[in-house]
Amino acid sequence: KARNSKTKAAVKTFEKNLVKAVEAKSVKEIPELLKAYVKKAMSAVSKGSLNKKTVSRKISRLSSKAHKAATK
């Protein structure tokens, strides 16, 4: 339980950082943060902390937002 909550908190932190970068439209940071978020989230899936489908959905949504912010 402690490992799950620690892992989930880390994923949420990465997600927040990515969302802030997307809102600020900082083009240089977005690809790095997206890559780091995907890596951390899938790591949480492999540990069993998060559901794969939920994480895939979040990655998809954040990727599309990041792409739109980076191309504008």
Side-chain angles (χ1 to χ4, degrees):
K1 185 178 178 184
R3 187 173 99 171
N4 283 348
S5 61
K6 187 176 180 181
T7 306
K8 286 179 186 179
V11 171
K12 284 180 187 176
T13 304
F14 276 82
E15 186 178 350
K16 285 179 197 172
N17 291 339
L18 178 60
V19 170
K20 284 181 187 176
V22 169
E23 288 173 355
K25 295 185 180 172
S26 53
V27 179
K28 292 183 180 178
E29 292 180 9
I30 290 173
E32 298 166 11
L33 290 172
L34 182 62
K35 187 176 178 182
Y37 171 70
V38 170
K39 185 175 180 181
K40 196 68 153 176
M42 292 313 286
S43 171
V45 168
S46 67
K47 291 177 183 176
S49 301
L50 296 171
N51 189 316
K52 185 179 180 186
K53 290 184 179 183
T54 305
V55 170
S56 294
R57 190 171 57 247
K58 284 188 173 188
I59 289 172
S60 175
R61 289 176 183 167
L62 285 170
S63 294
S64 66
K65 284 182 184 178
H67 181 70
K68 286 176 185 175
T71 55
K72 283 187 179 178

